[in-house]
Amino acid sequence: MDAYLIETVIKIVVILLLFSALAGFGTYFERKVLAFMQRRLGPMNVGPYGVLQIAADGIKLFTKEDLIPQGVVPAIFKIAPVITVATAFMAAAAIPFMPEFTAFGYTVKPIIADINVGILYVIGVMGVGLYGPLLGGMASANKFALISTARAAAVFISYEVVTGLSLLAPLMMVGSLSLIDINNFQAGGFTHWMIWSQPIAFVLFLIAAFAETGRTPFHLIANDHELIDGFGTEYSGMRWGLFFIGEYANMFFISWVIALVFLGGFGDGSVLGALALFLKVSFFFFFFLWTRAAWPDVRPDQLMMLCWKILMPIAVVNIVITGIVMMF
Amino acid sequence: MEHYSVAHPYFGVFLLFVMTFGAFMATTVVARLASRALSSKSSEKIKLSVYECGPEVSKQPNRLSPQFYLFALLFLLFDVEIVFMFPWAIDFKLLGWFGFAEMLLFILLLAIGFVYAWKKGALEWHNIK
């Protein structure tokens, strides 16, 4: 039990530090990718190729004046960003980040809690992440924050339906909710990937992932030109920064889930499989940024119509078809 | 990759819960201390006011389009459906034709409700005017 406790604590510390750093690096990466797609250079001044821009931004966020604007509910206002970022990181508990490896004669499984409801837990915790924008926007006395909060609630809960329904079809084939079992189901190699047998579910889940992380085609929650910064309008300094870290951590974890469920994950668990998993995750992270550079935002009513009138019926039909094919 | 064989697999989740909340609460505390020591402060009163233009609101009216509440109701209906469908999907091979027929019936009943909501215009975004 002691060894297990120490191992779990080390894993949690590594994941917290690693993904906080990756979230910071993600902002740099996003600025660079967007800049290159618009034939600019992006951040270039701080450090070589602007790499130290992350450190500069971090120092700036920490040394901003700690403001509580008038009219807010201070306690809720302070806890909201922490809820966003903490729920984003809690989704990591059930995700196997890479195949097991041996270090100092001790076999390490890079998963914090090997629970048997893995994917359900991940969806659930990401759903709780709604409380960050919700409380943050309702606690600040700002019209734009309130509209953003209402949109966030509507979008998140609507697309949770699509997320759940699109995942049901793959789960019927696997017969287990654990992400390890889902990965092992596709261990046979390239032709066994879930994307070939469930292409519709893959597309639906990808679209829902964009809505759940609030990325660009569905970036209505903090739509800059109509809602200033949405629920983050009244925030400043590190509190605002925590919202940002939460968003980028969410992008990383949902990329991991997509790669594990639909693209074969780490396969049989070799070193090559681990590298392939990292490549897949990097591709999906890049895909989020690519879409931001290529697509305009949709309108809120279009977003809700897309969810309820198009994606949800398709997901239900996909489940029925999967059932019929599996029964014959 | 094989599964763990530990007595309490949810202990890791609990530990992660405590440690993430602790770490990020500590981050905000450190940020507050750092900004107290380092930041430049101005005594301008208006900087604390609401970030809006035009006449300031004294109190947030908290008024929203009823459309949002309709979506919340629809969500309740369909998310409960999905909660019922998860255990069915996991035991799909075990349940066979019986389970499949039951679920088809269940989906049919919900489809009737969905069509009703659609025809009633619950999915349209109404103009407030």
Side-chain angles (χ1 to χ4, degrees), chain A residues 7 11 63-65 70 114 141 143 157 173 181 184 234 305 308-309, chain B residues 1 3-4 11 35 39 47-48 50-52 60 75 93 114 123-124:
Chain A
E7 189 193 332
K11 277 184 214 162
T63 52
K64 280 263 179 184
E65 191 180 349
Q70 70 181 35
D114 182 12
K143 270 180 275 182
I157 63 177
M173 297 176 66
D181 289 338
N184 291 346
E234 299 280 293
M305 292 317 100
W308 288 104
K309 289 189 177 172
Chain B
M1 190 159 143
H3 282 289
Y4 259 120
F11 179 71
S35 76
S39 73
K47 77 178 176 185
L48 287 177
V50 179
Y51 194 85
E52 278 176 32
Q60 192 187 41
F75 161 75
K93 288 168 191 159
F114 181 66
L123 302 178
E124 307 295 332

PDB file of all heavy atoms in Angstrom, chain A residues 7 11 63-65 70 114 141 143 157 173 181 184 234 305 308-309, chain B residues 1 3-4 11 35 39 47-48 50-52 60 75 93 114 123-124:
ATOM      1  N   GLU A   7       3.820   5.892  -5.374  1.00  0.00           N
ATOM      2  CA  GLU A   7       3.774   5.868  -6.838  1.00  0.00           C
ATOM      3  C   GLU A   7       2.684   6.809  -7.356  1.00  0.00           C
ATOM      4  O   GLU A   7       2.915   7.602  -8.279  1.00  0.00           O
ATOM      5  CB  GLU A   7       3.501   4.426  -7.285  1.00  0.00           C
ATOM      6  CG  GLU A   7       3.640   4.199  -8.765  1.00  0.00           C
ATOM      7  CD  GLU A   7       3.064   2.850  -9.170  1.00  0.00           C
ATOM      8  OE1 GLU A   7       3.066   1.936  -8.325  1.00  0.00           O
ATOM      9  OE2 GLU A   7       2.618   2.728 -10.308  1.00  0.00           O
ATOM     10  N   LYS A  11       3.093  10.176  -9.667  1.00  0.00           N
ATOM     11  CA  LYS A  11       2.412  10.307 -10.958  1.00  0.00           C
ATOM     12  C   LYS A  11       1.604  11.599 -11.020  1.00  0.00           C
ATOM     13  O   LYS A  11       1.625  12.310 -12.021  1.00  0.00           O
ATOM     14  CB  LYS A  11       1.462   9.126 -11.157  1.00  0.00           C
ATOM     15  CG  LYS A  11       2.105   7.871 -11.677  1.00  0.00           C
ATOM     16  CD  LYS A  11       1.018   6.853 -11.898  1.00  0.00           C
ATOM     17  CE  LYS A  11       1.494   5.467 -11.626  1.00  0.00           C
ATOM     18  NZ  LYS A  11       0.379   4.552 -11.429  1.00  0.00           N
ATOM     19  N   THR A  63       2.459  39.077 -11.614  1.00  0.00           N
ATOM     20  CA  THR A  63       2.714  40.389 -11.009  1.00  0.00           C
ATOM     21  C   THR A  63       1.640  41.416 -11.333  1.00  0.00           C
ATOM     22  O   THR A  63       1.813  42.584 -11.065  1.00  0.00           O
ATOM     23  CB  THR A  63       4.078  40.917 -11.476  1.00  0.00           C
ATOM     24  OG1 THR A  63       4.115  40.867 -12.904  1.00  0.00           O
ATOM     25  CG2 THR A  63       5.201  40.097 -10.924  1.00  0.00           C
ATOM     26  N   LYS A  64       0.537  40.969 -11.927  1.00  0.00           N
ATOM     27  CA  LYS A  64      -0.583  41.900 -12.124  1.00  0.00           C
ATOM     28  C   LYS A  64      -1.219  42.239 -10.778  1.00  0.00           C
ATOM     29  O   LYS A  64      -1.203  41.418  -9.858  1.00  0.00           O
ATOM     30  CB  LYS A  64      -1.629  41.240 -13.008  1.00  0.00           C
ATOM     31  CG  LYS A  64      -1.293  41.286 -14.457  1.00  0.00           C
ATOM     32  CD  LYS A  64      -2.008  42.444 -15.101  1.00  0.00           C
ATOM     33  CE  LYS A  64      -1.649  42.491 -16.567  1.00  0.00           C
ATOM     34  NZ  LYS A  64      -2.242  43.654 -17.201  1.00  0.00           N
ATOM     35  N   GLU A  65      -1.835  43.408 -10.719  1.00  0.00           N
ATOM     36  CA  GLU A  65      -2.504  43.768  -9.475  1.00  0.00           C
ATOM     37  C   GLU A  65      -3.710  42.856  -9.275  1.00  0.00           C
ATOM     38  O   GLU A  65      -4.439  42.552 -10.213  1.00  0.00           O
ATOM     39  CB  GLU A  65      -2.947  45.231  -9.529  1.00  0.00           C
ATOM     40  CG  GLU A  65      -3.397  45.732  -8.185  1.00  0.00           C
ATOM     41  CD  GLU A  65      -3.836  47.179  -8.247  1.00  0.00           C
ATOM     42  OE1 GLU A  65      -3.604  47.836  -9.260  1.00  0.00           O
ATOM     43  OE2 GLU A  65      -4.423  47.635  -7.250  1.00  0.00           O
ATOM     44  N   GLN A  70     -15.912  45.767  -8.543  1.00  0.00           N
ATOM     45  CA  GLN A  70     -17.092  46.018  -7.712  1.00  0.00           C
ATOM     46  C   GLN A  70     -18.281  45.234  -8.240  1.00  0.00           C
ATOM     47  O   GLN A  70     -18.359  44.918  -9.435  1.00  0.00           O
ATOM     48  CB  GLN A  70     -17.416  47.504  -7.707  1.00  0.00           C
ATOM     49  CG  GLN A  70     -17.933  48.007  -9.027  1.00  0.00           C
ATOM     50  CD  GLN A  70     -18.225  49.478  -9.000  1.00  0.00           C
ATOM     51  OE1 GLN A  70     -17.520  50.233  -8.335  1.00  0.00           O
ATOM     52  NE2 GLN A  70     -19.230  49.902  -9.719  1.00  0.00           N
ATOM     53  N   ASP A 114      -6.817   3.302 -12.097  1.00  0.00           N
ATOM     54  CA  ASP A 114      -7.322   2.354 -13.093  1.00  0.00           C
ATOM     55  C   ASP A 114      -8.747   1.953 -12.707  1.00  0.00           C
ATOM     56  O   ASP A 114      -8.988   0.868 -12.207  1.00  0.00           O
ATOM     57  CB  ASP A 114      -6.390   1.149 -13.160  1.00  0.00           C
ATOM     58  CG  ASP A 114      -6.837   0.171 -14.213  1.00  0.00           C
ATOM     59  OD1 ASP A 114      -7.708   0.527 -15.010  1.00  0.00           O
ATOM     60  OD2 ASP A 114      -6.309  -0.953 -14.222  1.00  0.00           O
ATOM     61  N   ALA A 141     -20.539  41.052 -12.151  1.00  0.00           N
ATOM     62  CA  ALA A 141     -21.702  41.887 -12.452  1.00  0.00           C
ATOM     63  C   ALA A 141     -21.557  42.481 -13.842  1.00  0.00           C
ATOM     64  O   ALA A 141     -21.422  43.675 -14.014  1.00  0.00           O
ATOM     65  CB  ALA A 141     -21.827  42.990 -11.408  1.00  0.00           C
ATOM     66  N   LYS A 143     -22.869  42.222 -18.041  1.00  0.00           N
ATOM     67  CA  LYS A 143     -23.848  41.670 -18.965  1.00  0.00           C
ATOM     68  C   LYS A 143     -23.206  40.652 -19.905  1.00  0.00           C
ATOM     69  O   LYS A 143     -23.761  39.586 -20.169  1.00  0.00           O
ATOM     70  CB  LYS A 143     -24.458  42.800 -19.793  1.00  0.00           C
ATOM     71  CG  LYS A 143     -25.676  43.424 -19.182  1.00  0.00           C
ATOM     72  CD  LYS A 143     -26.190  44.529 -20.075  1.00  0.00           C
ATOM     73  CE  LYS A 143     -25.450  45.806 -19.784  1.00  0.00           C
ATOM     74  NZ  LYS A 143     -25.852  46.970 -20.516  1.00  0.00           N
ATOM     75  N   ILE A 157     -23.994  21.491 -22.168  1.00  0.00           N
ATOM     76  CA  ILE A 157     -24.918  20.401 -21.864  1.00  0.00           C
ATOM     77  C   ILE A 157     -25.479  19.807 -23.137  1.00  0.00           C
ATOM     78  O   ILE A 157     -25.691  18.609 -23.220  1.00  0.00           O
ATOM     79  CB  ILE A 157     -26.027  20.835 -20.875  1.00  0.00           C
ATOM     80  CG1 ILE A 157     -26.883  21.921 -21.456  1.00  0.00           C
ATOM     81  CG2 ILE A 157     -25.451  21.227 -19.545  1.00  0.00           C
ATOM     82  CD1 ILE A 157     -28.010  22.315 -20.552  1.00  0.00           C
ATOM     83  N   MET A 173     -19.096  -2.226 -29.188  1.00  0.00           N
ATOM     84  CA  MET A 173     -18.168  -3.182 -29.785  1.00  0.00           C
ATOM     85  C   MET A 173     -17.154  -3.675 -28.772  1.00  0.00           C
ATOM     86  O   MET A 173     -16.771  -4.838 -28.765  1.00  0.00           O
ATOM     87  CB  MET A 173     -17.454  -2.550 -30.982  1.00  0.00           C
ATOM     88  CG  MET A 173     -18.394  -2.178 -32.103  1.00  0.00           C
ATOM     89  SD  MET A 173     -17.544  -1.337 -33.419  1.00  0.00           S
ATOM     90  CE  MET A 173     -16.490  -2.641 -33.997  1.00  0.00           C
ATOM     91  N   ASP A 181      -8.976  -1.165 -21.703  1.00  0.00           N
ATOM     92  CA  ASP A 181      -9.618  -2.205 -22.500  1.00  0.00           C
ATOM     93  C   ASP A 181      -9.904  -1.720 -23.915  1.00  0.00           C
ATOM     94  O   ASP A 181      -9.759  -2.475 -24.879  1.00  0.00           O
ATOM     95  CB  ASP A 181     -10.922  -2.649 -21.829  1.00  0.00           C
ATOM     96  CG  ASP A 181     -10.656  -3.435 -20.572  1.00  0.00           C
ATOM     97  OD1 ASP A 181      -9.545  -3.975 -20.462  1.00  0.00           O
ATOM     98  OD2 ASP A 181     -11.535  -3.486 -19.704  1.00  0.00           O
ATOM     99  N   ASN A 184      -6.684  -1.931 -25.694  1.00  0.00           N
ATOM    100  CA  ASN A 184      -6.288  -3.307 -25.997  1.00  0.00           C
ATOM    101  C   ASN A 184      -7.151  -3.908 -27.099  1.00  0.00           C
ATOM    102  O   ASN A 184      -6.701  -4.781 -27.831  1.00  0.00           O
ATOM    103  CB  ASN A 184      -6.395  -4.172 -24.735  1.00  0.00           C
ATOM    104  CG  ASN A 184      -5.343  -3.795 -23.718  1.00  0.00           C
ATOM    105  OD1 ASN A 184      -4.394  -3.078 -24.048  1.00  0.00           O
ATOM    106  ND2 ASN A 184      -5.504  -4.247 -22.497  1.00  0.00           N
ATOM    107  N   GLU A 234     -14.189  40.076 -16.389  1.00  0.00           N
ATOM    108  CA  GLU A 234     -13.879  40.796 -15.156  1.00  0.00           C
ATOM    109  C   GLU A 234     -12.617  40.272 -14.484  1.00  0.00           C
ATOM    110  O   GLU A 234     -12.190  40.809 -13.477  1.00  0.00           O
ATOM    111  CB  GLU A 234     -15.052  40.678 -14.174  1.00  0.00           C
ATOM    112  CG  GLU A 234     -16.337  41.263 -14.688  1.00  0.00           C
ATOM    113  CD  GLU A 234     -16.375  42.774 -14.546  1.00  0.00           C
ATOM    114  OE1 GLU A 234     -16.403  43.246 -13.404  1.00  0.00           O
ATOM    115  OE2 GLU A 234     -16.354  43.464 -15.571  1.00  0.00           O
ATOM    116  N   MET A 305     -28.745  24.258 -33.386  1.00  0.00           N
ATOM    117  CA  MET A 305     -29.436  23.478 -34.415  1.00  0.00           C
ATOM    118  C   MET A 305     -28.577  22.297 -34.845  1.00  0.00           C
ATOM    119  O   MET A 305     -29.056  21.182 -35.005  1.00  0.00           O
ATOM    120  CB  MET A 305     -29.710  24.345 -35.654  1.00  0.00           C
ATOM    121  CG  MET A 305     -30.705  25.450 -35.491  1.00  0.00           C
ATOM    122  SD  MET A 305     -32.161  25.016 -34.594  1.00  0.00           S
ATOM    123  CE  MET A 305     -31.808  25.671 -32.989  1.00  0.00           C
ATOM    124  N   TRP A 308     -28.813  19.571 -32.060  1.00  0.00           N
ATOM    125  CA  TRP A 308     -30.060  18.858 -31.779  1.00  0.00           C
ATOM    126  C   TRP A 308     -30.699  18.274 -33.024  1.00  0.00           C
ATOM    127  O   TRP A 308     -31.306  17.214 -32.976  1.00  0.00           O
ATOM    128  CB  TRP A 308     -31.063  19.793 -31.085  1.00  0.00           C
ATOM    129  CG  TRP A 308     -30.683  20.096 -29.684  1.00  0.00           C
ATOM    130  CD1 TRP A 308     -30.131  21.248 -29.232  1.00  0.00           C
ATOM    131  CD2 TRP A 308     -30.785  19.226 -28.560  1.00  0.00           C
ATOM    132  NE1 TRP A 308     -29.884  21.148 -27.893  1.00  0.00           N
ATOM    133  CE2 TRP A 308     -30.285  19.923 -27.453  1.00  0.00           C
ATOM    134  CE3 TRP A 308     -31.255  17.938 -28.378  1.00  0.00           C
ATOM    135  CZ2 TRP A 308     -30.243  19.376 -26.192  1.00  0.00           C
ATOM    136  CZ3 TRP A 308     -31.215  17.391 -27.124  1.00  0.00           C
ATOM    137  CH2 TRP A 308     -30.708  18.107 -26.058  1.00  0.00           C
ATOM    138  N   LYS A 309     -30.579  18.986 -34.159  1.00  0.00           N
ATOM    139  CA  LYS A 309     -31.305  18.539 -35.349  1.00  0.00           C
ATOM    140  C   LYS A 309     -30.465  17.665 -36.256  1.00  0.00           C
ATOM    141  O   LYS A 309     -31.012  16.934 -37.073  1.00  0.00           O
ATOM    142  CB  LYS A 309     -31.809  19.757 -36.134  1.00  0.00           C
ATOM    143  CG  LYS A 309     -32.940  20.465 -35.438  1.00  0.00           C
ATOM    144  CD  LYS A 309     -33.543  21.505 -36.336  1.00  0.00           C
ATOM    145  CE  LYS A 309     -34.726  22.164 -35.659  1.00  0.00           C
ATOM    146  NZ  LYS A 309     -35.204  23.307 -36.435  1.00  0.00           N
TER     147      LYS A 309
ATOM    148  N   MET B   1      -1.403  -3.571 -22.165  1.00  0.00           N
ATOM    149  CA  MET B   1      -1.298  -3.100 -20.783  1.00  0.00           C
ATOM    150  C   MET B   1      -2.365  -3.801 -19.944  1.00  0.00           C
ATOM    151  O   MET B   1      -3.521  -3.837 -20.315  1.00  0.00           O
ATOM    152  CB  MET B   1      -1.529  -1.582 -20.762  1.00  0.00           C
ATOM    153  CG  MET B   1      -1.214  -0.949 -19.440  1.00  0.00           C
ATOM    154  SD  MET B   1      -0.914   0.803 -19.657  1.00  0.00           S
ATOM    155  CE  MET B   1      -1.651   1.438 -18.175  1.00  0.00           C
ATOM    156  N   HIS B   3      -4.526  -4.589 -16.257  1.00  0.00           N
ATOM    157  CA  HIS B   3      -5.166  -3.765 -15.242  1.00  0.00           C
ATOM    158  C   HIS B   3      -4.413  -3.855 -13.925  1.00  0.00           C
ATOM    159  O   HIS B   3      -3.709  -4.811 -13.638  1.00  0.00           O
ATOM    160  CB  HIS B   3      -6.614  -4.234 -15.035  1.00  0.00           C
ATOM    161  CG  HIS B   3      -7.522  -3.760 -16.105  1.00  0.00           C
ATOM    162  ND1 HIS B   3      -7.899  -2.446 -16.240  1.00  0.00           N
ATOM    163  CD2 HIS B   3      -8.122  -4.418 -17.120  1.00  0.00           C
ATOM    164  CE1 HIS B   3      -8.695  -2.323 -17.271  1.00  0.00           C
ATOM    165  NE2 HIS B   3      -8.848  -3.500 -17.835  1.00  0.00           N
ATOM    166  N   TYR B   4      -4.598  -2.835 -13.111  1.00  0.00           N
ATOM    167  CA  TYR B   4      -4.073  -2.840 -11.751  1.00  0.00           C
ATOM    168  C   TYR B   4      -4.880  -3.832 -10.908  1.00  0.00           C
ATOM    169  O   TYR B   4      -6.052  -4.071 -11.157  1.00  0.00           O
ATOM    170  CB  TYR B   4      -4.256  -1.464 -11.114  1.00  0.00           C
ATOM    171  CG  TYR B   4      -3.027  -0.629 -11.090  1.00  0.00           C
ATOM    172  CD1 TYR B   4      -2.989   0.600 -11.736  1.00  0.00           C
ATOM    173  CD2 TYR B   4      -1.893  -1.065 -10.408  1.00  0.00           C
ATOM    174  CE1 TYR B   4      -1.868   1.385 -11.713  1.00  0.00           C
ATOM    175  CE2 TYR B   4      -0.766  -0.276 -10.381  1.00  0.00           C
ATOM    176  CZ  TYR B   4      -0.762   0.935 -11.027  1.00  0.00           C
ATOM    177  OH  TYR B   4       0.346   1.706 -10.989  1.00  0.00           O
ATOM    178  N   PHE B  11      -9.040   5.542  -4.994  1.00  0.00           N
ATOM    179  CA  PHE B  11      -8.190   6.337  -4.104  1.00  0.00           C
ATOM    180  C   PHE B  11      -7.350   7.318  -4.912  1.00  0.00           C
ATOM    181  O   PHE B  11      -7.151   8.461  -4.502  1.00  0.00           O
ATOM    182  CB  PHE B  11      -7.289   5.406  -3.287  1.00  0.00           C
ATOM    183  CG  PHE B  11      -6.380   6.151  -2.372  1.00  0.00           C
ATOM    184  CD1 PHE B  11      -6.891   6.787  -1.254  1.00  0.00           C
ATOM    185  CD2 PHE B  11      -5.025   6.238  -2.632  1.00  0.00           C
ATOM    186  CE1 PHE B  11      -6.061   7.488  -0.419  1.00  0.00           C
ATOM    187  CE2 PHE B  11      -4.188   6.938  -1.789  1.00  0.00           C
ATOM    188  CZ  PHE B  11      -4.711   7.565  -0.686  1.00  0.00           C
ATOM    189  N   SER B  35       1.694  39.701  -6.351  1.00  0.00           N
ATOM    190  CA  SER B  35       1.195  40.963  -6.877  1.00  0.00           C
ATOM    191  C   SER B  35       1.173  42.026  -5.781  1.00  0.00           C
ATOM    192  O   SER B  35       1.386  43.202  -6.040  1.00  0.00           O
ATOM    193  CB  SER B  35      -0.203  40.771  -7.461  1.00  0.00           C
ATOM    194  OG  SER B  35      -1.135  40.672  -6.422  1.00  0.00           O
ATOM    195  N   SER B  39       3.372  44.435  -7.812  1.00  0.00           N
ATOM    196  CA  SER B  39       2.609  45.117  -8.849  1.00  0.00           C
ATOM    197  C   SER B  39       2.548  46.608  -8.588  1.00  0.00           C
ATOM    198  O   SER B  39       2.669  47.070  -7.457  1.00  0.00           O
ATOM    199  CB  SER B  39       1.202  44.556  -8.903  1.00  0.00           C
ATOM    200  OG  SER B  39       0.469  45.000  -7.794  1.00  0.00           O
ATOM    201  N   LYS B  47     -11.364  52.174 -11.803  1.00  0.00           N
ATOM    202  CA  LYS B  47     -10.805  50.953 -12.377  1.00  0.00           C
ATOM    203  C   LYS B  47     -11.545  49.715 -11.857  1.00  0.00           C
ATOM    204  O   LYS B  47     -11.510  48.669 -12.484  1.00  0.00           O
ATOM    205  CB  LYS B  47      -9.320  50.831 -12.046  1.00  0.00           C
ATOM    206  CG  LYS B  47      -9.055  50.391 -10.629  1.00  0.00           C
ATOM    207  CD  LYS B  47      -7.607  50.226 -10.343  1.00  0.00           C
ATOM    208  CE  LYS B  47      -7.431  49.888  -8.879  1.00  0.00           C
ATOM    209  NZ  LYS B  47      -6.051  49.828  -8.476  1.00  0.00           N
ATOM    210  N   LEU B  48     -12.219  49.832 -10.731  1.00  0.00           N
ATOM    211  CA  LEU B  48     -12.949  48.689 -10.183  1.00  0.00           C
ATOM    212  C   LEU B  48     -14.342  48.554 -10.780  1.00  0.00           C
ATOM    213  O   LEU B  48     -15.038  47.585 -10.503  1.00  0.00           O
ATOM    214  CB  LEU B  48     -13.077  48.830  -8.664  1.00  0.00           C
ATOM    215  CG  LEU B  48     -11.795  48.597  -7.876  1.00  0.00           C
ATOM    216  CD1 LEU B  48     -12.056  48.832  -6.403  1.00  0.00           C
ATOM    217  CD2 LEU B  48     -11.277  47.202  -8.082  1.00  0.00           C
ATOM    218  N   VAL B  50     -17.511  48.071 -13.507  1.00  0.00           N
ATOM    219  CA  VAL B  50     -17.805  46.990 -14.448  1.00  0.00           C
ATOM    220  C   VAL B  50     -17.244  47.325 -15.812  1.00  0.00           C
ATOM    221  O   VAL B  50     -17.305  48.466 -16.254  1.00  0.00           O
ATOM    222  CB  VAL B  50     -19.332  46.790 -14.518  1.00  0.00           C
ATOM    223  CG1 VAL B  50     -19.678  45.696 -15.492  1.00  0.00           C
ATOM    224  CG2 VAL B  50     -19.877  46.474 -13.157  1.00  0.00           C
ATOM    225  N   TYR B  51     -16.680  46.322 -16.487  1.00  0.00           N
ATOM    226  CA  TYR B  51     -16.068  46.537 -17.792  1.00  0.00           C
ATOM    227  C   TYR B  51     -17.156  46.594 -18.855  1.00  0.00           C
ATOM    228  O   TYR B  51     -17.434  45.620 -19.541  1.00  0.00           O
ATOM    229  CB  TYR B  51     -15.069  45.411 -18.085  1.00  0.00           C
ATOM    230  CG  TYR B  51     -14.160  45.702 -19.241  1.00  0.00           C
ATOM    231  CD1 TYR B  51     -13.001  46.426 -19.076  1.00  0.00           C
ATOM    232  CD2 TYR B  51     -14.471  45.243 -20.519  1.00  0.00           C
ATOM    233  CE1 TYR B  51     -12.171  46.703 -20.132  1.00  0.00           C
ATOM    234  CE2 TYR B  51     -13.643  45.512 -21.580  1.00  0.00           C
ATOM    235  CZ  TYR B  51     -12.504  46.242 -21.379  1.00  0.00           C
ATOM    236  OH  TYR B  51     -11.688  46.510 -22.436  1.00  0.00           O
ATOM    237  N   GLU B  52     -17.844  47.727 -18.933  1.00  0.00           N
ATOM    238  CA  GLU B  52     -18.876  47.937 -19.942  1.00  0.00           C
ATOM    239  C   GLU B  52     -18.813  49.381 -20.356  1.00  0.00           C
ATOM    240  O   GLU B  52     -18.253  50.221 -19.659  1.00  0.00           O
ATOM    241  CB  GLU B  52     -20.267  47.635 -19.367  1.00  0.00           C
ATOM    242  CG  GLU B  52     -20.617  46.173 -19.367  1.00  0.00           C
ATOM    243  CD  GLU B  52     -21.955  45.916 -18.706  1.00  0.00           C
ATOM    244  OE1 GLU B  52     -22.802  46.798 -18.810  1.00  0.00           O
ATOM    245  OE2 GLU B  52     -22.116  44.855 -18.107  1.00  0.00           O
ATOM    246  N   GLN B  60     -26.867  43.491 -11.579  1.00  0.00           N
ATOM    247  CA  GLN B  60     -27.046  42.639 -12.746  1.00  0.00           C
ATOM    248  C   GLN B  60     -28.465  42.086 -12.736  1.00  0.00           C
ATOM    249  O   GLN B  60     -28.892  41.476 -11.765  1.00  0.00           O
ATOM    250  CB  GLN B  60     -26.042  41.501 -12.675  1.00  0.00           C
ATOM    251  CG  GLN B  60     -25.932  40.720 -13.935  1.00  0.00           C
ATOM    252  CD  GLN B  60     -25.052  39.520 -13.723  1.00  0.00           C
ATOM    253  OE1 GLN B  60     -25.121  38.864 -12.702  1.00  0.00           O
ATOM    254  NE2 GLN B  60     -24.209  39.237 -14.679  1.00  0.00           N
ATOM    255  N   PHE B  75     -32.015  18.697 -22.418  1.00  0.00           N
ATOM    256  CA  PHE B  75     -30.802  17.997 -21.993  1.00  0.00           C
ATOM    257  C   PHE B  75     -31.115  16.967 -20.921  1.00  0.00           C
ATOM    258  O   PHE B  75     -30.629  15.838 -20.966  1.00  0.00           O
ATOM    259  CB  PHE B  75     -29.791  19.012 -21.472  1.00  0.00           C
ATOM    260  CG  PHE B  75     -28.727  18.409 -20.607  1.00  0.00           C
ATOM    261  CD1 PHE B  75     -27.716  17.675 -21.167  1.00  0.00           C
ATOM    262  CD2 PHE B  75     -28.750  18.580 -19.231  1.00  0.00           C
ATOM    263  CE1 PHE B  75     -26.743  17.111 -20.382  1.00  0.00           C
ATOM    264  CE2 PHE B  75     -27.787  18.019 -18.443  1.00  0.00           C
ATOM    265  CZ  PHE B  75     -26.779  17.285 -19.028  1.00  0.00           C
ATOM    266  N   LYS B  93     -23.500  -7.589 -26.118  1.00  0.00           N
ATOM    267  CA  LYS B  93     -23.333  -8.950 -26.649  1.00  0.00           C
ATOM    268  C   LYS B  93     -24.029  -9.965 -25.748  1.00  0.00           C
ATOM    269  O   LYS B  93     -24.546 -10.984 -26.206  1.00  0.00           O
ATOM    270  CB  LYS B  93     -21.855  -9.284 -26.773  1.00  0.00           C
ATOM    271  CG  LYS B  93     -21.183  -8.545 -27.909  1.00  0.00           C
ATOM    272  CD  LYS B  93     -19.672  -8.661 -27.816  1.00  0.00           C
ATOM    273  CE  LYS B  93     -19.005  -7.712 -28.779  1.00  0.00           C
ATOM    274  NZ  LYS B  93     -17.617  -7.434 -28.404  1.00  0.00           N
ATOM    275  N   PHE B 114     -38.966  13.468 -29.025  1.00  0.00           N
ATOM    276  CA  PHE B 114     -38.069  14.379 -29.751  1.00  0.00           C
ATOM    277  C   PHE B 114     -38.807  15.050 -30.902  1.00  0.00           C
ATOM    278  O   PHE B 114     -38.707  16.271 -31.101  1.00  0.00           O
ATOM    279  CB  PHE B 114     -36.873  13.577 -30.259  1.00  0.00           C
ATOM    280  CG  PHE B 114     -35.861  14.391 -31.003  1.00  0.00           C
ATOM    281  CD1 PHE B 114     -35.129  15.362 -30.352  1.00  0.00           C
ATOM    282  CD2 PHE B 114     -35.639  14.180 -32.356  1.00  0.00           C
ATOM    283  CE1 PHE B 114     -34.199  16.117 -31.032  1.00  0.00           C
ATOM    284  CE2 PHE B 114     -34.723  14.930 -33.035  1.00  0.00           C
ATOM    285  CZ  PHE B 114     -33.998  15.897 -32.379  1.00  0.00           C
ATOM    286  N   LEU B 123     -36.813  23.593 -30.557  1.00  0.00           N
ATOM    287  CA  LEU B 123     -35.431  23.624 -31.045  1.00  0.00           C
ATOM    288  C   LEU B 123     -35.135  24.872 -31.861  1.00  0.00           C
ATOM    289  O   LEU B 123     -34.012  25.102 -32.250  1.00  0.00           O
ATOM    290  CB  LEU B 123     -35.159  22.380 -31.901  1.00  0.00           C
ATOM    291  CG  LEU B 123     -35.386  21.050 -31.202  1.00  0.00           C
ATOM    292  CD1 LEU B 123     -35.138  19.915 -32.160  1.00  0.00           C
ATOM    293  CD2 LEU B 123     -34.472  20.916 -30.009  1.00  0.00           C
ATOM    294  N   GLU B 124     -36.191  25.676 -32.134  1.00  0.00           N
ATOM    295  CA  GLU B 124     -35.955  26.917 -32.883  1.00  0.00           C
ATOM    296  C   GLU B 124     -35.464  27.993 -31.929  1.00  0.00           C
ATOM    297  O   GLU B 124     -35.842  28.017 -30.768  1.00  0.00           O
ATOM    298  CB  GLU B 124     -37.264  27.394 -33.533  1.00  0.00           C
ATOM    299  CG  GLU B 124     -37.956  26.353 -34.383  1.00  0.00           C
ATOM    300  CD  GLU B 124     -37.135  25.960 -35.590  1.00  0.00           C
ATOM    301  OE1 GLU B 124     -36.345  26.800 -36.055  1.00  0.00           O
ATOM    302  OE2 GLU B 124     -37.281  24.819 -36.044  1.00  0.00           O
TER     303      GLU B 124
END
